Amino acid sequence: MRHNKKFNHLGRKKAHRDALLANMTISLIQHKRIFTTLAKAKALRMYAEPLINRAKEDTMANRRLVFSYLQNKYAVTELFREISQKIADRPGGYTRILKTGNRLGDNAQMCFIELVDYNEALLAAKKDAGAKKPRTRRSRKAAAPAAEAPAAAEAPAAE
């Protein structure tokens, strides 16, 4: 009986699935963002988030436990040194899945999975959202000729 066994087997045996998820977790830690199918990303999130959570407390026991899953000392070192500092105050949800559409060959749903605190585009957008923008048309019109004037002055000088 398979009562309460809800995880996705991904069409693989246990050893193959464990190797796949460990390799994907190592790539996620090293590159901060990977491109994969939606099913693998959801399985990876269930596999990687408890390991990332272990990195909050840097003890020898936690390092050994994470190493027993990943078998890559460079990934473990980066996880406990850099990533643990960024996620120290986050209570969970260390990864984000962004759907990108379907793959051409087999129409599989594709996505990015990334570490939340490492997306520079969204972090920059948050900073820009805090800045005030002009609310009247007059201020936009005044700013536009000022920007065009230096470009017009430089063009004849180049000829």
Side-chain angles (χ1 to χ4, degrees):
M1 287 186 247
R2 61 176 312 273
H3 295 177
N4 203 23
K5 296 181 181 178
K6 295 182 180 177
F7 68 94
N8 193 343
H9 294 276
L10 300 173
R12 292 163 170 83
K13 302 282 185 178
K14 183 177 180 0
H16 188 183
R17 188 171 54 249
D18 288 343
L20 170 84
L21 293 173
N23 287 332
M24 288 178 70
T25 304
I26 291 166
S27 295
L28 181 65
I29 290 169
Q30 290 177 342
H31 301 292
K32 312 302 188 261
R33 170 190 257 198
I34 57 174
F35 186 68
T36 184
T37 63
L38 185 62
K40 286 181 187 174
K42 287 180 178 180
L44 176 64
R45 180 169 50 188
M46 289 175 51
Y47 186 87
E49 291 213 3
L51 297 179
I52 295 171
N53 200 30
R54 287 274 180 184
K56 285 184 173 183
E57 187 181 349
D58 190 4
T59 63
M60 187 60 69
N62 283 346
R63 279 182 180 263
R64 286 179 175 165
L65 190 130
V66 171
F67 183 78
S68 72
Y69 283 95
L70 300 183
Q71 297 292 314
N72 186 319
K73 63 182 179 181
Y74 303 110
V76 172
T77 302
E78 185 162 348
L79 177 64
F80 278 87
R81 279 195 188 156
E82 297 172 15
I83 296 174
S84 65
Q85 293 173 356
K86 287 216 174 192
I87 62 157
D89 57 339
R90 184 175 290 277
Y94 310 115
T95 57
R96 175 187 297 124
I97 295 176
L98 300 168
K99 296 178 184 175
T100 58
N102 294 345
R103 187 162 51 195
L104 288 177
D106 59 354
N107 209 30
Q109 288 184 319
M110 300 300 288
C111 66
F112 282 110
I113 182 167
E114 63 185 5
L115 295 174
V116 171
D117 295 320
Y118 282 91
N119 188 341
E120 291 82 15
L122 284 179
L123 294 176
K126 280 186 181 178
K127 290 179 184 176
D128 292 342
K132 291 281 185 177
K133 295 180 182 171
R135 299 185 80 181
T136 63
R137 280 197 254 152
R138 184 179 306 146
S139 61
R140 276 189 249 141
K141 286 181 183 176
E148 292 174 9
E154 292 174 12
E159 293 176 13

